[in-house]
Amino acid sequence: IVVRPPPPKPWDYVEFGATVTVRDGDEVDNYRLVGANETDLDKNWINWCSPLATALMNGRVGQRVRFRERELEILKIEYQ
């Protein structure tokens, strides 16, 4: 397992390892972008190469990104 330290603050955009809070209409969800062997959908840990993660990648707080037929607004970006 390769451990990559979080990028320095401020956390302006989404990268591998980010936990991203998004709003989809009235729903708010958190997704963590992880490696393929760490994927755990019960925890909303998604593969960084997945279609959703690809849509979020390089996004910034306040930005709206298209994912399939939906538009997600990025509310918060954190690294653990």
Side-chain angles (χ1 to χ4, degrees), residues 1-2 6-7 10-11 19 27-28 34 41 44 47 52 54 58-60 64 66-68 70 75:
I1 294 176
V2 176
W11 296 323
T19 298
E27 291 186 36
V28 174
V34 299
L41 298 181
N44 279 353
N47 184 332
L52 176 55
T54 301
N58 296 314
R60 297 181 178 275
R64 295 176 186 275
R66 299 286 299 163
F67 174 64
R68 298 189 177 151
R70 305 180 318 199
L75 301 177

Side-chain angles (χ1 to χ4, degrees), residues 8 36 49:
C49 293

Side-chain angles (χ1 to χ4, degrees), residues 44-77:
N44 279 353
W45 289 14
I46 60 174
N47 184 332
W48 71 280
C49 293
S50 70
L52 176 55
T54 301
L56 294 171
M57 196 68 74
N58 296 314
R60 297 181 178 275
V61 171
Q63 183 176 352
R64 295 176 186 275
V65 297
R66 299 286 299 163
F67 174 64
R68 298 189 177 151
E69 301 298 320
R70 305 180 318 199
E71 186 175 82
L72 307 174
E73 179 183 5
I74 299 173
L75 301 177
K76 187 175 183 183
I77 302 167

Side-chain angles (χ1 to χ4, degrees), residues 1-21:
I1 294 176
V2 176
V3 177
R4 182 176 169 187
K9 286 185 177 182
W11 296 323
D12 292 330
Y13 58 94
V14 179
E15 291 185 54
F16 176 84
T19 298
V20 186
T21 303

